[in-house]
Amino acid sequence: MSDKLPADDQLIKQLLNQDSSAFQQVMDAWYGSMYYVASSITSDAIADEVIQETWISVLKSLPKFEGRSSLKSWVMRILANEAKTRRRKESRNVSLEQIEDSWSTDPRFDSVGHWQTTTSSWHADSPDQLMQADELKNCIQKHIDLLPEKQKAALMLRETESYELDEICNILEVTSSNVRVLLHRARDKVLQVIDRFEREGKC
Amino acid sequence: MLGLPSCKQVSEQCSYQLDEDLPMLKRARLKLHLAICEQCRRYVKQMKLTDASVRYWVRGRRMPSEVKQQLLTQFQEMNNPDTGKKDDSQ
Ligand SMILES: [Zn+2]
């Protein structure tokens, strides 16, 4: 789970001391999180640009960093702000009412909310075993990209483990009960994708 | 019946629980439901694994080398505003 980075104060010292290898290490360690946050708020096309701009402003303001939060959360907050200023028009925005509608008629449950179908049993019980097949990774990527804008963004912001729920609410401009719903629907979708892959061996 | 949640509600609550603790009473009712419902036990387990797998997948993305190179160059230039006088003592 750990990024195997030095502790914050050490890392900051190294960055301020112009240590390129420390900079490389931290860029590598946080790239995945940064990429998915940037791309879900803006788009894949400019995600790397947003990341670059973020790092530049991080490096510029690093001498003033006061350590009230971890370095990573500070960086991720700067990233989210940077991305928000370049947010695209929401092309695939689906209203929460629509999300609720499809949930209320979800065919997996009967009229009193009991399971009518059941998920299959999966071959693995750890992420690295489960995610061994590249087809599954690509399949998950594809379906996450197909999620409605805010569902995708909520999931990505959350799964980068960098934001509290209320920060996600602020970034997405939704209430906390909405963000819970968005997260559940998104995770449930990915779960169904994995389940189909486990059953049929294809996307 | 004891005010237990339905399977559908369980499927939502187990996601909420990944983000923050449910109130005690809800948590107790969820546990009771799970004690008697195998399908939900399986779903809850898979929900946790799904969540962990998405995190795993996020961490696996690698930085394109040209993006990294550009940033490294900028990093070095930033530290040496006078680029004519680069420190090459390493
Ligand atoms: Zn159940």
Side-chain angles (χ1 to χ4, degrees):
Chain A
M1 279 296 190
S2 101
D3 297 320
K4 287 192 215 111
L5 287 172
D8 276 3
D9 47 349
Q10 171 76 22
L11 187 56
I12 291 165
K13 222 178 280 168
Q14 287 174 315
L15 292 176
L16 292 174
N17 283 334
Q18 325 183 350
D19 182 337
S20 301
S21 75
F23 185 49
Q24 274 200 55
Q25 223 189 330
V26 68
M27 282 195 295
D28 280 333
W30 297 345
Y31 181 71
S33 304
M34 293 179 81
Y35 180 83
Y36 289 108
V37 168
S39 68
S40 59
I41 300 177
T42 61
S43 68
D44 289 336
I46 63 165
D48 281 324
E49 218 175 287
V50 173
I51 292 172
Q52 257 168 314
E53 280 157 15
T54 301
W55 275 119
I56 300 301
S57 47
V58 164
L59 294 170
K60 280 186 185 148
S61 33
L62 193 60
K64 288 175 285 175
F65 175 63
E66 288 174 330
R68 286 213 201 95
S69 63
S70 73
L71 184 62
K72 186 175 182 186
S73 10
W74 183 65
V75 170
M76 295 304 282
R77 217 169 305 132
I78 295 174
L79 174 71
N81 289 331
E82 195 78 51
K84 266 170 78 176
T85 64
R86 305 191 54 178
R87 191 186 328 234
R88 76 189 129 168
K89 288 223 169 57
E90 303 204 354
S91 46
R92 221 173 26 240
N93 204 358
V94 170
S95 72
L96 281 153
E97 289 76 34
Q98 282 168 281
I99 294 174
E100 282 313 323
D101 273 357
S102 69
W103 179 243
S104 64
T105 57
D106 192 307
R108 287 173 297 164
F109 301 97
D110 68 16
S111 56
V112 290
H114 284 279
W115 292 108
Q116 303 212 89
T117 59
T118 185
T119 52
S120 57
S121 126
W122 295 357
H123 83 280
D125 47 28
S126 74
D128 52 325
Q129 287 173 311
L130 188 72
M131 301 286 282
Q132 254 168 10
D134 282 336
E135 294 117 288
L136 176 58
K137 285 186 215 157
N138 297 338
C139 186
I140 289 177
Q141 167 94 64
K142 182 178 129 194
H143 281 92
I144 287 180
D145 284 340
L146 289 171
L147 289 174
E149 243 26 277
K150 281 196 173 160
Q151 264 185 66
K152 177 183 173 188
L155 182 71
M156 291 293 97
L157 288 164
R158 187 63 192 158
E159 304 300 28
T160 56
E161 300 166 77
S162 314
Y163 304 101
E164 297 301 327
L165 278 193
D166 54 346
E167 289 179 279
I168 299 178
C169 296
N170 284 335
I171 296 170
L172 299 180
E173 292 160 4
V174 296
T175 65
S176 64
S177 60
N178 288 347
V179 87
R180 284 190 202 101
V181 169
L182 292 170
L183 281 170
H184 168 259
R185 303 302 185 262
R187 287 180 179 130
D188 178 59
K189 178 70 203 177
V190 178
L191 186 153
Q192 291 183 66
V193 168
I194 298 175
D195 190 51
R196 190 170 57 228
F197 191 85
E198 287 286 319
R199 244 180 311 126
E200 298 170 13
K202 56 178 199 252
C203 189
Chain B
M1 194 184 63
L2 294 172
L4 289 191
S6 68
C7 298
K8 199 170 182 176
Q9 288 165 328
V10 168
S11 84
E12 291 186 292
Q13 288 174 4
C14 72
S15 167
Y16 304 163
Q17 221 179 6
L18 292 172
D19 302 309
E20 53 196 3
D21 287 335
L22 292 173
M24 216 164 63
L25 195 57
K26 267 198 174 159
R27 207 160 60 212
R29 287 175 172 150
L30 174 65
K31 261 183 128 168
L32 259 176
H33 181 120
L34 292 179
I36 57 174
C37 181
E38 202 199 330
Q39 281 152 297
C40 280
R41 279 204 296 279
R42 177 183 281 186
Y43 182 92
V44 169
K45 203 175 141 205
Q46 291 175 337
M47 175 57 90
K48 286 183 192 154
L49 184 52
T50 298
D51 187 60
S53 298
V54 176
R55 289 177 182 208
Y56 177 84
W57 170 77
V58 164
R59 282 198 303 272
R61 190 171 185 107
R62 295 284 160 255
M63 192 171 200
S65 57
E66 67 280 8
V67 179
K68 198 196 288 183
Q69 227 13 274
Q70 276 175 22
L71 267 168
L72 271 175
T73 311
Q74 279 167 297
F75 178 70
Q76 280 147 1
E77 281 169 5
M78 215 170 202
N79 291 319
N80 293 289
D82 182 0
T83 42
K85 199 179 77 188
K86 237 183 188 159
D87 177 10
D88 54 5
S89 57
Q90 294 130 318

